Amino acid sequence: MHTNRLRHLFSRALRASLATPLVLAGCGTGNTNLRGYTNIECTPTGEPAINDLSIQPAMDSVELRFISSYGEEPATYQTRASTGEACATATDPSTCQTTLAEARSVDGFTGACIQVCWKYFLATTRGDEVKTWSSLQSIQELIGTVDTAQDAALLAFAAGYRLSCDTLDQGAVKRSLEGGFNVVGTKGYACGEGSDLIQHVVHVSANGEVRELEKHVLEKGTGQCAVGRRPVGLEGTVAGGCEDALGQYFAQTAHLEAASIHAFLRLREELALHGAETGLQDAALASAVDEVMHTEMTGRLARRFGATPPPPVVAAVPLRPLDAVALDNAVEGCVRETYGALVAHHQALHARDAEVREAMVRIAEDETRHAGLSWDIDRWVRSRLSAPEQEALREAQKRAVALLRAEVAAPLDATLVTEAGLPTPEAALALLDTLEQELWA
């Protein structure tokens, strides 16, 4: 399937979708009674703030540091927040400052890894001592008695709960009548059938113990976050929410773009394993590089709209036999990735937000090439499969199209249609009709 043919088909699909009406809808909320709760105080990049921690005896300074690494490249460190004056009481301030600048940790909390890895730690100074704190237990030791909402939020964050900065049902805190604080956070994801975003309420006691009180399904997954190629073993993605629809949508997108890095690197390995031509292997690697750029672009948009995309989590799965690779490519590439590329073109044309349009122009072109690669792989692999295996591919593709059709019928928040340029359910079904007639019939 040449990329130019896809471009022509996408152009016809987009013209056909213009005849559909604009129908918008909202979404629901969770079940926790949020009376008395307040928003989590956050850093500019979306982590819990640290300027009101009740550490005793007090530190000269506290820094929240972010670690990221990719493949075998050296890890990079960023200071996301700081409070106090570093090395203020040191007898040798210059040496203390140098030691602080070089402070590193191989461990961290609230982390995940899929080729690109993320985690956090704290770095503190008191007198001449520079120290790092990289686990829930060490944070409990550092804080001691929990006296402030920031103490409780940081401990919940270190325990692995995601905390929204401005969506109350996904990030909130209040003082508890039994002492300590209750914190609302989330775990899990909402993208695709069978996935759930779970709201958790935890109690952070005065001594720093984090204990779960209740949990609710906040949102079930739909197909609206289907962007790019999902890797085998992907455990989920970020959920959306009405109170911050744009931020949550671009957090979803950035999360899946990061997952696609893993998918294409794995695809390259499996193509090599089964003797695919070098051109297909090289195209898979180039696609992974594209996805790194897409992750950065959509991540910037997510943060602009108040959300921080967490990294995807992918279970380790052995390299697969050829028929399994073909089946995955038929569903993830020839159906979902192809549709995702068409949606990106729709956004590039219809998004009212100028920065979104600019990003989607680049992403749409790259994703069209990725979809073309999927069809090239499909053509290569089918000649190497038995008749029953080829029939299994056709049936899996039909099921994937039917599932996608059901997923895109889900209602959308109005701002996702106007500002992000997503097609309404009616327009999405019109887009699918054109693709189905030409590609999946």
Side-chain angles (χ1 to χ4, degrees), residues 69-134:
S69 59
Y70 180 77
E72 298 182 357
E73 296 179 5
T76 60
Y77 295 79
Q78 299 175 344
T79 297
R80 294 300 185 92
S82 62
T83 184
E85 182 182 348
C87 305
T89 63
T91 59
D92 186 350
S94 178
T95 298
C96 176
Q97 291 280 3
T98 299
T99 303
L100 175 62
E102 296 174 351
R104 299 288 184 264
S105 176
V106 295
D107 299 315
F109 52 83
T110 317
C113 197
I114 167 182
Q115 300 297 323
V116 180
C117 303
W118 291 260
K119 51 191 172 183
Y120 295 87
F121 69 96
L122 295 183
T124 62
T125 67
R126 179 192 288 142
D128 292 312
E129 181 183 51
V130 177
K131 194 170 181 180
T132 60
W133 315 78
S134 57

Short mmCIF file of all heavy atoms in Angstrom, two decimals, residues 69-134:
data_model
loop_
_atom_site.label_atom_id
_atom_site.label_comp_id
_atom_site.label_asym_id
_atom_site.label_seq_id
_atom_site.Cartn_x
_atom_site.Cartn_y
_atom_site.Cartn_z
N SER A 69 15.49 8.32 30.94
CA SER A 69 16.55 7.65 30.18
C SER A 69 15.93 6.95 28.99
O SER A 69 14.75 6.59 29.01
CB SER A 69 17.29 6.64 31.07
OG SER A 69 16.39 5.66 31.58
N TYR A 70 16.73 6.76 27.96
CA TYR A 70 16.27 6.12 26.74
C TYR A 70 17.33 5.13 26.28
O TYR A 70 18.48 5.50 26.02
CB TYR A 70 16.01 7.14 25.63
CG TYR A 70 15.53 6.53 24.34
CD1 TYR A 70 14.22 6.11 24.22
CD2 TYR A 70 16.39 6.37 23.27
CE1 TYR A 70 13.77 5.54 23.05
CE2 TYR A 70 15.94 5.79 22.08
CZ TYR A 70 14.63 5.39 21.99
OH TYR A 70 14.19 4.81 20.83
N GLY A 71 16.94 3.85 26.20
CA GLY A 71 17.86 2.81 25.77
C GLY A 71 19.10 2.77 26.65
O GLY A 71 19.02 2.79 27.87
N GLU A 72 20.27 2.74 26.01
CA GLU A 72 21.53 2.68 26.74
C GLU A 72 22.16 4.05 26.94
O GLU A 72 23.27 4.17 27.46
CB GLU A 72 22.51 1.76 26.00
CG GLU A 72 22.03 0.32 25.90
CD GLU A 72 23.04 -0.58 25.20
OE1 GLU A 72 24.08 -0.05 24.75
OE2 GLU A 72 22.79 -1.80 25.12
N GLU A 73 21.44 5.10 26.54
CA GLU A 73 21.97 6.44 26.74
C GLU A 73 21.98 6.80 28.22
O GLU A 73 21.14 6.32 28.99
CB GLU A 73 21.12 7.45 25.97
CG GLU A 73 21.15 7.25 24.46
CD GLU A 73 20.28 8.26 23.74
OE1 GLU A 73 19.75 9.16 24.42
OE2 GLU A 73 20.15 8.14 22.51
N PRO A 74 22.91 7.66 28.66
CA PRO A 74 22.95 8.06 30.07
C PRO A 74 21.65 8.75 30.48
O PRO A 74 21.02 9.46 29.70
CB PRO A 74 24.14 9.03 30.13
CG PRO A 74 24.96 8.72 28.92
CD PRO A 74 23.99 8.27 27.87
N ALA A 75 21.25 8.52 31.72
CA ALA A 75 20.05 9.16 32.24
C ALA A 75 20.25 10.67 32.33
O ALA A 75 21.37 11.15 32.54
CB ALA A 75 19.71 8.60 33.61
N THR A 76 19.17 11.41 32.15
CA THR A 76 19.21 12.86 32.34
C THR A 76 18.39 13.22 33.57
O THR A 76 17.43 12.53 33.93
CB THR A 76 18.64 13.59 31.11
OG1 THR A 76 17.27 13.18 30.91
CG2 THR A 76 19.44 13.27 29.87
N TYR A 77 18.77 14.30 34.22
CA TYR A 77 18.15 14.72 35.47
C TYR A 77 17.66 16.16 35.33
O TYR A 77 18.37 17.01 34.80
CB TYR A 77 19.15 14.63 36.63
CG TYR A 77 19.61 13.22 36.93
CD1 TYR A 77 20.58 12.59 36.16
CD2 TYR A 77 19.05 12.51 38.00
CE1 TYR A 77 20.99 11.29 36.43
CE2 TYR A 77 19.46 11.22 38.28
CZ TYR A 77 20.42 10.61 37.49
OH TYR A 77 20.82 9.32 37.76
N GLN A 78 16.44 16.38 35.79
CA GLN A 78 15.87 17.73 35.77
C GLN A 78 15.32 18.04 37.16
O GLN A 78 14.71 17.18 37.80
CB GLN A 78 14.73 17.84 34.76
CG GLN A 78 15.12 17.58 33.33
CD GLN A 78 13.90 17.61 32.42
OE1 GLN A 78 12.77 17.54 32.89
NE2 GLN A 78 14.13 17.73 31.12
N THR A 79 15.53 19.27 37.62
CA THR A 79 14.91 19.72 38.86
C THR A 79 13.54 20.30 38.52
O THR A 79 13.44 21.28 37.80
CB THR A 79 15.77 20.78 39.56
OG1 THR A 79 17.02 20.17 39.93
CG2 THR A 79 15.09 21.30 40.81
N ARG A 80 12.47 19.66 39.01
CA ARG A 80 11.11 20.08 38.70
C ARG A 80 10.59 21.11 39.71
O ARG A 80 9.69 21.89 39.39
CB ARG A 80 10.18 18.87 38.67
CG ARG A 80 10.47 17.90 37.53
CD ARG A 80 10.33 18.59 36.18
NE ARG A 80 10.50 17.69 35.06
CZ ARG A 80 9.52 17.03 34.47
NH1 ARG A 80 8.28 17.16 34.88
NH2 ARG A 80 9.77 16.23 33.45
N ALA A 81 11.12 21.09 40.94
CA ALA A 81 10.69 22.05 41.96
C ALA A 81 11.77 22.14 43.02
O ALA A 81 12.52 21.19 43.25
CB ALA A 81 9.37 21.62 42.59
N SER A 82 11.88 23.30 43.66
CA SER A 82 12.85 23.47 44.74
C SER A 82 12.30 24.46 45.75
O SER A 82 11.48 25.33 45.42
CB SER A 82 14.20 23.95 44.20
OG SER A 82 14.07 25.21 43.58
N THR A 83 12.74 24.32 46.97
CA THR A 83 12.34 25.24 48.04
C THR A 83 13.52 25.42 48.98
O THR A 83 14.36 24.53 49.13
CB THR A 83 11.10 24.70 48.79
OG1 THR A 83 10.67 25.65 49.76
CG2 THR A 83 11.40 23.38 49.48
N GLY A 84 13.60 26.58 49.60
CA GLY A 84 14.71 26.87 50.50
C GLY A 84 15.93 27.38 49.75
O GLY A 84 15.90 27.61 48.54
N GLU A 85 17.02 27.56 50.50
CA GLU A 85 18.29 28.03 49.92
C GLU A 85 19.32 26.94 50.05
O GLU A 85 19.72 26.56 51.16
CB GLU A 85 18.78 29.29 50.64
CG GLU A 85 20.05 29.87 50.06
CD GLU A 85 20.56 31.09 50.83
OE1 GLU A 85 19.79 31.62 51.67
OE2 GLU A 85 21.72 31.50 50.58
N ALA A 86 19.73 26.39 48.91
CA ALA A 86 20.66 25.26 48.92
C ALA A 86 21.96 25.63 49.62
O ALA A 86 22.53 26.70 49.37
CB ALA A 86 20.94 24.81 47.49
N CYS A 87 22.39 24.75 50.53
CA CYS A 87 23.68 24.86 51.22
C CYS A 87 23.79 26.14 52.06
O CYS A 87 24.90 26.64 52.31
CB CYS A 87 24.83 24.80 50.21
SG CYS A 87 24.79 23.31 49.16
N ALA A 88 22.67 26.66 52.53
CA ALA A 88 22.68 27.93 53.27
C ALA A 88 23.50 27.87 54.55
O ALA A 88 24.11 28.87 54.94
CB ALA A 88 21.24 28.34 53.60
N THR A 89 23.53 26.71 55.21
CA THR A 89 24.27 26.61 56.48
C THR A 89 25.51 25.74 56.36
O THR A 89 26.07 25.31 57.37
CB THR A 89 23.35 26.05 57.59
OG1 THR A 89 22.94 24.72 57.24
CG2 THR A 89 22.13 26.93 57.78
N ALA A 90 25.95 25.45 55.13
CA ALA A 90 27.14 24.62 54.93
C ALA A 90 28.39 25.38 55.34
O ALA A 90 28.49 26.61 55.14
CB ALA A 90 27.23 24.20 53.47
N THR A 91 29.36 24.67 55.92
CA THR A 91 30.63 25.31 56.24
C THR A 91 31.46 25.55 54.99
O THR A 91 32.32 26.42 54.96
CB THR A 91 31.43 24.43 57.22
OG1 THR A 91 31.65 23.14 56.63
CG2 THR A 91 30.68 24.26 58.54
N ASP A 92 31.23 24.75 53.94
CA ASP A 92 31.91 24.91 52.66
C ASP A 92 30.84 24.96 51.57
O ASP A 92 30.56 23.94 50.90
CB ASP A 92 32.88 23.75 52.43
CG ASP A 92 33.72 23.93 51.16
OD1 ASP A 92 33.42 24.86 50.37
OD2 ASP A 92 34.67 23.14 50.96
N PRO A 93 30.20 26.10 51.36
CA PRO A 93 29.08 26.19 50.41
C PRO A 93 29.43 25.74 49.00
O PRO A 93 28.61 25.12 48.31
CB PRO A 93 28.70 27.67 50.45
CG PRO A 93 29.17 28.15 51.78
CD PRO A 93 30.43 27.38 52.06
N SER A 94 30.65 26.03 48.54
CA SER A 94 31.02 25.68 47.18
C SER A 94 31.03 24.17 46.98
O SER A 94 30.48 23.64 46.00
CB SER A 94 32.39 26.27 46.84
OG SER A 94 32.78 25.89 45.53
N THR A 95 31.64 23.47 47.92
CA THR A 95 31.68 22.00 47.83
C THR A 95 30.27 21.43 47.94
O THR A 95 29.89 20.50 47.22
CB THR A 95 32.56 21.42 48.94
OG1 THR A 95 33.89 21.90 48.76
CG2 THR A 95 32.56 19.90 48.90
N CYS A 96 29.47 21.99 48.84
CA CYS A 96 28.09 21.53 49.00
C CYS A 96 27.29 21.71 47.71
O CYS A 96 26.56 20.81 47.28
CB CYS A 96 27.43 22.30 50.15
SG CYS A 96 25.68 21.93 50.40
N GLN A 97 27.44 22.86 47.06
CA GLN A 97 26.72 23.12 45.81
C GLN A 97 27.14 22.13 44.72
O GLN A 97 26.31 21.64 43.96
CB GLN A 97 26.99 24.56 45.35
CG GLN A 97 26.36 25.64 46.22
CD GLN A 97 24.89 25.84 45.92
OE1 GLN A 97 24.30 25.14 45.11
NE2 GLN A 97 24.29 26.83 46.59
N THR A 98 28.43 21.85 44.65
CA THR A 98 28.92 20.89 43.65
C THR A 98 28.36 19.50 43.91
O THR A 98 27.91 18.80 42.99
CB THR A 98 30.45 20.85 43.66
OG1 THR A 98 30.97 22.14 43.34
CG2 THR A 98 30.98 19.83 42.65
N THR A 99 28.37 19.10 45.19
CA THR A 99 27.84 17.78 45.55
C THR A 99 26.35 17.69 45.23
O THR A 99 25.86 16.68 44.72
CB THR A 99 28.07 17.51 47.05
OG1 THR A 99 29.47 17.62 47.34
CG2 THR A 99 27.59 16.11 47.42
N LEU A 100 25.60 18.76 45.49
CA LEU A 100 24.17 18.78 45.20
C LEU A 100 23.93 18.67 43.70
O LEU A 100 23.06 17.91 43.24
CB LEU A 100 23.54 20.06 45.74
CG LEU A 100 22.05 20.26 45.41
CD1 LEU A 100 21.21 19.16 46.03
CD2 LEU A 100 21.58 21.63 45.90
N ALA A 101 24.69 19.42 42.92
CA ALA A 101 24.51 19.39 41.47
C ALA A 101 24.76 18.00 40.90
O ALA A 101 24.15 17.60 39.90
CB ALA A 101 25.44 20.40 40.81
N GLU A 102 25.67 17.26 41.55
CA GLU A 102 26.03 15.93 41.07
C GLU A 102 25.23 14.82 41.74
O GLU A 102 25.45 13.63 41.45
CB GLU A 102 27.52 15.69 41.28
CG GLU A 102 28.40 16.65 40.46
CD GLU A 102 29.88 16.50 40.77
OE1 GLU A 102 30.20 15.78 41.74
OE2 GLU A 102 30.70 17.11 40.05
N ALA A 103 24.33 15.17 42.65
CA ALA A 103 23.56 14.16 43.38
C ALA A 103 22.70 13.36 42.42
O ALA A 103 21.95 13.91 41.62
CB ALA A 103 22.70 14.83 44.45
N ARG A 104 22.80 12.05 42.48
CA ARG A 104 22.08 11.15 41.59
C ARG A 104 21.46 10.02 42.40
O ARG A 104 21.87 9.72 43.51
CB ARG A 104 23.02 10.56 40.53
CG ARG A 104 23.67 11.61 39.63
CD ARG A 104 22.65 12.19 38.68
NE ARG A 104 23.23 13.13 37.73
CZ ARG A 104 23.24 14.46 37.89
NH1 ARG A 104 22.70 14.99 38.98
NH2 ARG A 104 23.76 15.25 36.96
N SER A 105 20.48 9.36 41.78
CA SER A 105 19.88 8.18 42.38
C SER A 105 19.57 7.19 41.28
O SER A 105 19.04 7.57 40.23
CB SER A 105 18.59 8.54 43.13
OG SER A 105 17.98 7.37 43.63
N VAL A 106 19.91 5.93 41.49
CA VAL A 106 19.57 4.91 40.50
C VAL A 106 18.14 4.43 40.72
O VAL A 106 17.54 3.80 39.84
CB VAL A 106 20.53 3.71 40.57
CG1 VAL A 106 21.94 4.14 40.19
CG2 VAL A 106 20.54 3.08 41.96
N ASP A 107 17.59 4.71 41.89
CA ASP A 107 16.21 4.34 42.20
C ASP A 107 15.32 5.57 42.11
O ASP A 107 15.79 6.69 41.95
CB ASP A 107 16.12 3.73 43.61
CG ASP A 107 16.96 2.47 43.74
OD1 ASP A 107 16.90 1.64 42.82
OD2 ASP A 107 17.69 2.34 44.74
N GLY A 108 14.02 5.36 42.25
CA GLY A 108 13.08 6.46 42.23
C GLY A 108 11.68 5.97 42.52
O GLY A 108 11.44 4.77 42.59
N PHE A 109 10.75 6.89 42.70
CA PHE A 109 9.36 6.51 42.97
C PHE A 109 8.47 7.01 41.83
O PHE A 109 8.87 7.86 41.04
CB PHE A 109 8.88 7.05 44.31
CG PHE A 109 9.10 8.53 44.53
CD1 PHE A 109 8.20 9.47 44.03
CD2 PHE A 109 10.20 8.98 45.25
CE1 PHE A 109 8.40 10.82 44.24
CE2 PHE A 109 10.40 10.34 45.47
CZ PHE A 109 9.49 11.27 44.96
N THR A 110 7.27 6.48 41.76
CA THR A 110 6.26 6.85 40.75
C THR A 110 6.85 6.75 39.35
O THR A 110 6.70 7.63 38.54
CB THR A 110 5.72 8.27 41.00
OG1 THR A 110 5.50 8.44 42.39
CG2 THR A 110 4.40 8.49 40.28
N GLY A 111 7.51 5.65 39.05
CA GLY A 111 8.17 5.52 37.77
C GLY A 111 7.57 4.42 36.91
O GLY A 111 6.79 3.60 37.36
N ALA A 112 7.94 4.43 35.64
CA ALA A 112 7.57 3.38 34.69
C ALA A 112 8.58 3.41 33.56
O ALA A 112 9.35 4.36 33.43
CB ALA A 112 6.16 3.58 34.17
N CYS A 113 8.57 2.37 32.74
CA CYS A 113 9.61 2.26 31.73
C CYS A 113 9.10 1.54 30.50
O CYS A 113 8.49 0.47 30.61
CB CYS A 113 10.80 1.49 32.31
SG CYS A 113 12.34 1.68 31.40
N ILE A 114 9.27 2.15 29.33
CA ILE A 114 9.06 1.49 28.05
C ILE A 114 10.03 2.13 27.08
O ILE A 114 9.75 3.12 26.45
CB ILE A 114 7.61 1.62 27.55
CG1 ILE A 114 7.55 1.20 26.11
CG2 ILE A 114 7.06 2.99 27.72
CD1 ILE A 114 6.23 1.31 25.45
N GLN A 115 11.23 1.56 27.04
CA GLN A 115 12.34 2.16 26.30
C GLN A 115 12.73 3.51 26.93
O GLN A 115 13.86 3.71 27.33
CB GLN A 115 12.01 2.33 24.82
CG GLN A 115 11.70 1.02 24.11
CD GLN A 115 12.87 0.07 24.09
OE1 GLN A 115 14.02 0.50 23.94
NE2 GLN A 115 12.61 -1.21 24.23
N VAL A 116 11.81 4.44 26.99
CA VAL A 116 12.02 5.68 27.72
C VAL A 116 11.50 5.47 29.14
O VAL A 116 10.38 5.03 29.34
CB VAL A 116 11.29 6.86 27.06
CG1 VAL A 116 11.52 8.14 27.82
CG2 VAL A 116 11.74 7.01 25.61
N CYS A 117 12.34 5.78 30.14
CA CYS A 117 11.99 5.51 31.54
C CYS A 117 11.89 6.81 32.32
O CYS A 117 12.64 7.75 32.07
CB CYS A 117 13.06 4.63 32.20
SG CYS A 117 13.32 3.05 31.34
N TRP A 118 10.95 6.86 33.28
CA TRP A 118 10.74 8.04 34.11
C TRP A 118 10.67 7.63 35.58
O TRP A 118 10.10 6.59 35.91
CB TRP A 118 9.40 8.71 33.79
CG TRP A 118 9.25 9.39 32.48
CD1 TRP A 118 9.36 10.72 32.22
CD2 TRP A 118 8.90 8.77 31.23
NE1 TRP A 118 9.10 10.97 30.89
CE2 TRP A 118 8.83 9.80 30.26
CE3 TRP A 118 8.66 7.46 30.84
CZ2 TRP A 118 8.51 9.54 28.93
CZ3 TRP A 118 8.35 7.20 29.51
CH2 TRP A 118 8.28 8.24 28.58
N LYS A 119 11.22 8.45 36.48
CA LYS A 119 11.00 8.29 37.91
C LYS A 119 11.47 9.57 38.61
O LYS A 119 12.05 10.46 38.00
CB LYS A 119 11.73 7.06 38.46
CG LYS A 119 13.19 6.94 38.10
CD LYS A 119 13.72 5.56 38.46
CE LYS A 119 15.14 5.35 37.93
NZ LYS A 119 15.65 4.00 38.21
N TYR A 120 11.20 9.65 39.92
CA TYR A 120 11.47 10.85 40.71
C TYR A 120 12.27 10.50 41.96
O TYR A 120 12.22 9.37 42.45
CB TYR A 120 10.15 11.51 41.15
CG TYR A 120 9.30 12.04 40.04
CD1 TYR A 120 8.37 11.22 39.39
CD2 TYR A 120 9.39 13.38 39.64
CE1 TYR A 120 7.57 11.71 38.38
CE2 TYR A 120 8.59 13.88 38.63
CZ TYR A 120 7.68 13.04 38.00
OH TYR A 120 6.89 13.52 37.00
N PHE A 121 12.97 11.52 42.47
CA PHE A 121 13.56 11.42 43.81
C PHE A 121 13.70 12.83 44.36
O PHE A 121 13.58 13.82 43.64
CB PHE A 121 14.91 10.69 43.78
CG PHE A 121 16.04 11.42 43.11
CD1 PHE A 121 16.95 12.18 43.86
CD2 PHE A 121 16.21 11.36 41.73
CE1 PHE A 121 18.00 12.85 43.24
CE2 PHE A 121 17.25 12.02 41.11
CZ PHE A 121 18.16 12.77 41.87
N LEU A 122 13.93 12.92 45.67
CA LEU A 122 14.19 14.20 46.32
C LEU A 122 15.68 14.31 46.62
O LEU A 122 16.33 13.32 46.94
CB LEU A 122 13.41 14.33 47.63
CG LEU A 122 11.88 14.37 47.55
CD1 LEU A 122 11.31 14.57 48.95
CD2 LEU A 122 11.39 15.46 46.61
N ALA A 123 16.20 15.53 46.52
CA ALA A 123 17.57 15.82 46.95
C ALA A 123 17.51 16.95 47.97
O ALA A 123 16.84 17.96 47.73
CB ALA A 123 18.44 16.23 45.75
N THR A 124 18.17 16.78 49.11
CA THR A 124 18.11 17.78 50.18
C THR A 124 19.51 18.18 50.62
O THR A 124 20.48 17.45 50.44
CB THR A 124 17.36 17.22 51.40
OG1 THR A 124 18.08 16.09 51.94
CG2 THR A 124 15.95 16.78 51.04
N THR A 125 19.56 19.39 51.19
CA THR A 125 20.80 19.83 51.87
C THR A 125 20.45 20.29 53.27
O THR A 125 19.39 20.89 53.51
CB THR A 125 21.49 20.98 51.11
OG1 THR A 125 20.67 22.16 51.17
CG2 THR A 125 21.74 20.61 49.66
N ARG A 126 21.32 19.96 54.21
CA ARG A 126 21.25 20.48 55.59
C ARG A 126 22.68 20.57 56.08
O ARG A 126 23.37 19.56 56.20
CB ARG A 126 20.43 19.57 56.49
CG ARG A 126 20.35 20.09 57.94
CD ARG A 126 19.80 19.07 58.91
NE ARG A 126 18.37 18.87 58.72
CZ ARG A 126 17.78 17.69 58.81
NH1 ARG A 126 18.50 16.60 59.01
NH2 ARG A 126 16.47 17.58 58.66
N GLY A 127 23.15 21.78 56.34
CA GLY A 127 24.56 21.96 56.68
C GLY A 127 25.42 21.48 55.53
O GLY A 127 25.21 21.87 54.37
N ASP A 128 26.38 20.60 55.81
CA ASP A 128 27.25 20.07 54.77
C ASP A 128 26.73 18.78 54.15
O ASP A 128 27.34 18.25 53.23
CB ASP A 128 28.65 19.81 55.34
CG ASP A 128 29.38 21.09 55.70
OD1 ASP A 128 29.39 22.01 54.86
OD2 ASP A 128 29.91 21.18 56.83
N GLU A 129 25.60 18.30 54.66
CA GLU A 129 25.08 17.01 54.20
C GLU A 129 24.17 17.20 52.97
O GLU A 129 23.24 18.00 52.97
CB GLU A 129 24.28 16.32 55.31
CG GLU A 129 23.74 14.96 54.90
CD GLU A 129 22.88 14.32 55.97
OE1 GLU A 129 21.94 14.98 56.49
OE2 GLU A 129 23.15 13.15 56.32
N VAL A 130 24.45 16.43 51.93
CA VAL A 130 23.60 16.33 50.75
C VAL A 130 23.08 14.90 50.69
O VAL A 130 23.87 13.95 50.75
CB VAL A 130 24.37 16.68 49.46
CG1 VAL A 130 23.47 16.50 48.25
CG2 VAL A 130 24.91 18.10 49.52
N LYS A 131 21.76 14.75 50.57
CA LYS A 131 21.18 13.42 50.65
C LYS A 131 20.07 13.26 49.63
O LYS A 131 19.40 14.23 49.26
CB LYS A 131 20.63 13.18 52.06
CG LYS A 131 20.31 11.73 52.39
CD LYS A 131 20.02 11.56 53.87
CE LYS A 131 19.71 10.11 54.21
NZ LYS A 131 19.42 9.94 55.66
N THR A 132 19.87 12.02 49.13
CA THR A 132 18.76 11.73 48.21
C THR A 132 17.76 10.80 48.88
O THR A 132 18.11 9.99 49.74
CB THR A 132 19.27 11.08 46.91
OG1 THR A 132 19.94 9.85 47.21
CG2 THR A 132 20.22 12.02 46.17
N TRP A 133 16.51 10.90 48.45
CA TRP A 133 15.38 10.14 49.01
C TRP A 133 14.58 9.62 47.82
O TRP A 133 13.98 10.39 47.08
CB TRP A 133 14.52 11.04 49.90
CG TRP A 133 15.32 11.91 50.84
CD1 TRP A 133 15.99 13.06 50.54
CD2 TRP A 133 15.55 11.67 52.23
NE1 TRP A 133 16.60 13.56 51.64
CE2 TRP A 133 16.37 12.74 52.71
CE3 TRP A 133 15.15 10.69 53.13
CZ2 TRP A 133 16.76 12.83 54.03
CZ3 TRP A 133 15.56 10.77 54.45
CH2 TRP A 133 16.36 11.83 54.89
N SER A 134 14.56 8.28 47.64
CA SER A 134 14.07 7.75 46.37
C SER A 134 13.02 6.64 46.51
O SER A 134 12.78 5.91 45.55
CB SER A 134 15.25 7.22 45.54
OG SER A 134 15.97 6.25 46.29
#
